[in-house]
């Protein structure tokens, strides 16, 4: 009995030192791995911690500001986020056509009369709006106010307006009847109305972002009712946003982006149905009727004002003309989701496993180490 035991024990004793060594090395590697995970988790939690968020109802929707304040005071960041929202509130007072006391309402009330001297804010908003009207051949048109009102009333009443009503309103629209000169503007005919619902939020988002940058903030997201301006990153990782699916609760895609603006126009926000047709709040000024064919358009651009105007314009243009137009615009990428469920992307975008990648865009997020883009 002893012999075989000894025989079996002796060789085992002989291997003991190397086995122990391997175990020690394995334990060391395991400890390193656990430590690394713990460090990474700590960093993640710290990143989360170093973000402040403020939100407020503005311009008929919800605005929010998130700031990553790494290395600066939380209270300072909180104050900056609040002040950016205050700035948007002041802009709303000035430009909203829904506020009786706004400059836009004064201009609308004076339609058919003498020119009105404008503030620099409204002058800039009108100038950019006219530029987009020209570039989109009238698909984007802030003089469509009478039509927007008509279709808003139709939605509230759940009935289609008659053709004569639509035509009468069309006669009151057109950028050729909006005159801007020497810091003043004039609407040619009584009853004309400007409406900035398709561009005002992007304009506000840019102003809020400029305000934050002037305060030295480099990492933030301004969300003006779905019109985003993204800057920098959320600590160690890029901002991650979701592109909404117009028909499903789950997002169409996620996207890591930085230093760009993103806006979405969709037929799901305000719409009504008549005779089995969905009528959205986005109007084709060239027909006077709601645009058809697309369910949603998301635009990536360099500024909030351009992203906002373009998302509306591309929605009006429809899938093929919109896609072709977007391809001609420098620094612009877009996702088109058609009513029939088809999805199309401009050539600078890729969709991989539910993630939108912006490899060619000027607003592409830097790739994370080890992750091909
Ligand atoms: P958005 O959600 O940015 O696409 O803007 C839609 C809002 O802009 C509508 O509720 C209208 O007030 C206004 N609007 C609708 N159609 C147009 C258009 N073709 N051009 C400019 N503004 C529009
Ligand atoms: Mg818009």
């Amino acid at each position: 009995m002893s012999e075989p035991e000894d025989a079996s024990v002796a060789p085992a004793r002989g291997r003991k030192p190397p086995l122990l060594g391997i175990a020690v090395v394995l334990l060391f590697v395991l400890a390193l791995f656990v430590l690394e995970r713990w460090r990474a988790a700590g960093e993640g939690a710290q990143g989360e911690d170093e973000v402040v968020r403020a939100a407020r109802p503005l311009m008929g929707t919800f605005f929010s500001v998130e700031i990553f304040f790494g290395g600066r005071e939380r209270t300072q960041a909180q104050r900056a986020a609040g002040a950016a929202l205050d700035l948007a509130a002041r802009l709303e007072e000035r430009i909203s056509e829904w506020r009786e006391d706004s400059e836009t309402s004064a201009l609308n009330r004076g339609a058919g009369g003498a020119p009105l001297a404008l503030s620099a804010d409204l002058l800039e908003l009108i100038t950019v709006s006219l530029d987009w009207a020209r570039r989109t051949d009238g698909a984007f048109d802030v003089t469509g106010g009478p039509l927007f009102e008509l279709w808003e009333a139709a939605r509230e009443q759940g009935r289609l307006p008659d053709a004569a009503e639509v035509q009468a309103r069309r006669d009151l629209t057109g950028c050729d009847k909006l005159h801007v000169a020497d810091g003043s503007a004039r609407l040619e005919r009584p009853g004309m109305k400007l409406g900035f619902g398709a561009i005002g939020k992007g304009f506000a988002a840019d102003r809020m972002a400029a305000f934050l940058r002037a305060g030295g903030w480099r990492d933030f997201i301004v969300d003006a009712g779905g019109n985003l301006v993204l800057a920098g990153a959320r600590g160690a990782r890029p901002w991650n946003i979701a592109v909404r699916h117009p028909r499903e609760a789950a997002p169409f895609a996620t996207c890591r982006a930085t230093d760009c603006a993103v806006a979405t126009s969709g037929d799901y926000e305000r719409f009504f149905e008549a005779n089995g047709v969905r009528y959205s709040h986005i109007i084709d000024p060239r027909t006077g009727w709601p645009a058809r064919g697309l369910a949603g358009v998301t635009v990536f651009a360099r500024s909030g004002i351009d992203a906002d105007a373009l998302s509306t314009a591309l929605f009006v243009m429809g899938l093929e003309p919109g896609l072709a137009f977007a391809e001609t615009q420098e620094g612009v990428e877009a996702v088109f989701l058609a009513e029939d469920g088809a999805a199309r992307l401009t050539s600078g975008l890729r969709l991989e496993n539910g993630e939108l990648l912006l490899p060619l865009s000027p607003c592409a997020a830097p790739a994370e180490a080890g992750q091909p883009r």
Side-chain angles (χ1 to χ4, degrees), residues 140 197-199 227 263-265 307-312:
F140 181 85
I199 193 168
N227 296 273
T264 298
S265 287
D308 195 0
L310 260 175
S311 67
T312 309

Side-chain angles (χ1 to χ4, degrees), residues 13 34 36 41 112 167 176 193 203 226 254 283 285 289 328 351:
R13 264 195 211 118
V34 170
E36 174 56 23
Q167 187 52 50
D176 55 328
K193 273 180 186 159
F203 175 65
T254 58
I283 312 301
W289 282 69
T328 67
L351 185 64

Side-chain angles (χ1 to χ4, degrees), residues 12-253:
R13 264 195 211 118
R15 284 198 299 269
K16 219 172 188 175
L19 259 186
L20 191 68
I22 290 168
V24 167
V25 169
L26 277 177
L27 263 175
F28 185 66
V29 170
L30 186 73
L32 271 184
F33 177 74
V34 170
L35 258 173
E36 174 56 23
R37 293 300 293 259
W38 178 75
R39 190 195 61 79
E43 224 176 56
Q46 194 186 4
E48 291 299 321
D49 243 345
E50 289 183 321
V51 173
V52 295
R53 185 172 186 278
R56 203 180 297 172
L58 283 163
M59 298 194 184
T61 176
F62 225 70
F63 279 34
S64 70
V65 178
E66 279 182 71
I67 302 176
F68 174 81
F69 60 89
R72 285 175 75 175
E73 295 256 327
R74 170 180 294 274
T75 48
Q76 256 188 330
Q78 200 77 58
R79 256 201 310 275
L85 291 167
D86 292 343
L87 184 152
R90 288 195 297 279
L91 276 180
E92 181 182 11
E93 282 169 19
R94 178 158 282 172
I95 66 174
S96 171
E97 69 270 23
W98 301 105
R99 297 181 67 116
E100 283 283 299
D101 52 352
S102 74
E103 228 181 307
T104 302
S105 290
L107 187 60
N108 288 345
R109 269 195 305 274
L116 185 76
L118 302 180
S119 67
D121 286 337
L122 192 56
L123 193 62
E124 183 184 338
L125 186 57
I126 291 178
T127 305
V128 178
S129 297
L130 286 175
D131 195 39
W132 276 116
R134 186 183 52 75
R135 289 162 74 175
T136 62
D137 212 7
F140 181 85
D141 190 347
V142 292
T143 68
L147 285 167
F148 310 154
E149 266 186 13
L150 179 69
W151 285 99
E152 185 67 20
R155 185 180 67 83
E156 277 164 15
Q157 295 155 15
R159 62 157 198 97
L160 290 172
D162 62 50
E165 253 177 313
V166 174
Q167 187 52 50
R169 302 288 177 123
R170 280 192 65 205
D171 293 343
L172 293 173
T173 71
C175 287
D176 55 328
K177 296 188 270 295
L178 164 60
H179 306 283
V180 183
D182 305 325
S184 297
R186 182 172 72 87
L187 291 163
E188 210 172 275
R189 299 192 190 166
M192 284 184 73
K193 273 180 186 159
L194 299 184
F196 296 112
I199 193 168
K201 293 185 279 293
F203 175 65
D206 283 341
R207 287 295 179 86
M208 293 163 79
F211 168 81
L212 291 173
R213 283 196 188 96
W217 304 100
R218 291 284 164 264
D219 304 288
F220 55 81
I221 289 193
V222 170
D223 179 351
N227 296 273
L228 310 180
V229 174
L230 301 140
R234 191 189 185 104
R237 56 201 168 93
W239 297 108
N240 197 15
I241 58 165
V243 174
R244 189 174 164 173
H245 194 294
R247 297 288 181 269
E248 292 166 18
F252 168 74

